[in-house]
Amino acid sequence: MKTKFIIGLLIMLANVVYGQKITLTKEGIPTINISDNRLLPDLKDKIVRWAEQNFRNGYDFQDRGEVIRVETVRRNAFTYSSLGETYSYHVKVRLTFILTEGKRQLKIEVIEFMDGQEPSSLKLESLFTSKGIAKAEMTEAVNKLEANIKRVVSRLQLLWK
């Protein structure tokens, strides 16, 4: 009985920590609602510490009161193979925290893909078919990119709706 309770508790905790609904689509990632009700200064401090710990290769940070914007490059965010050739891409990402009293949200934007230091001609839309389904050769790339973004956001350790 005690073992079942502990397993149930761990499953619930995992859903809270990793339960963000991050789904990469042709249009990007839908906005995620934050239910964390900490005071604004405490929440901002947490976001600052998170950015410092997770983006050691650099980031741009803008605090505009109720809107915090973090822009960074995720190195080796995903790879994919085509015709025996393996391609690795960095991804420039913008995370915008909207922290008003009535609405707290996180908006994640994939700005551009980068091949080394240079912007790539690859676009988010080119990973998907016209129907919005990941192309067969890009399914693994989409899954890796989603997992990379989920991993970064889960380190925020906020409560999500």
Side-chain angles (χ1 to χ4, degrees), residues 65-101:
E66 294 180 335
V67 176
I68 296 175
R69 184 168 284 149
V70 178
E71 197 169 296
T72 189
V73 175
R74 293 293 300 159
R75 303 244 180 253
N76 302 316
F78 72 95
T79 58
Y80 78 94
S81 297
S82 177
L83 302 172
E85 187 77 30
T86 300
Y87 302 93
S88 180
Y89 287 94
H90 308 314
V91 178
K92 193 171 195 179
V93 183
R94 180 183 300 135
L95 299 112
T96 305
F97 297 88
I98 302 162
L99 303 172
T100 61
E101 285 304 316

Side-chain angles (χ1 to χ4, degrees), residues 79-82 126-129 132-143:
T79 58
Y80 78 94
S81 297
S82 177
S126 60
L127 302 178
F128 297 90
T129 64
I133 300 167
K135 292 179 181 175
E137 66 273 13
M138 295 295 187
T139 302
E140 186 178 348
V142 169
N143 291 340

Side-chain angles (χ1 to χ4, degrees), residues 96-123:
T96 305
F97 297 88
I98 302 162
L99 303 172
T100 61
E101 285 304 316
K103 175 171 62 171
R104 292 181 176 204
Q105 297 177 320
L106 170 59
K107 183 177 180 181
I108 304 170
E109 299 169 81
V110 175
I111 299 172
E112 67 183 348
F113 297 116
M114 300 176 72
D115 187 10
Q117 298 295 325
E118 300 297 319
S120 169
S121 60
L122 184 67
K123 302 290 180 207

Side-chain angles (χ1 to χ4, degrees), residues 74-77 143-152:
R74 293 293 300 159
R75 303 244 180 253
N76 302 316
N143 291 340
K144 286 181 180 178
L145 183 55
E146 265 183 15
N148 191 309
I149 294 171
K150 281 181 185 179
R151 188 171 42 255
V152 170

Side-chain angles (χ1 to χ4, degrees), residues 24-75:
L24 190 61
T25 67
K26 186 176 177 179
E27 291 79 34
I29 299 170
T31 302
I32 305 166
N33 291 317
I34 303 171
S35 65
D36 202 312
N37 58 4
R38 288 178 231 206
L39 296 173
L40 199 55
D42 296 336
L43 195 52
K44 284 184 179 184
D45 288 344
K46 180 145 188 89
I47 292 168
V48 170
R49 284 192 308 274
W50 165 79
E52 289 170 351
Q53 292 170 354
N54 287 284
F55 306 126
R56 293 190 179 126
N57 62 341
Y59 62 93
D60 291 328
F61 187 88
Q62 299 172 2
D63 184 351
R64 298 181 177 161
E66 294 180 335
V67 176
I68 296 175
R69 184 168 284 149
V70 178
E71 197 169 296
T72 189
V73 175
R74 293 293 300 159
R75 303 244 180 253

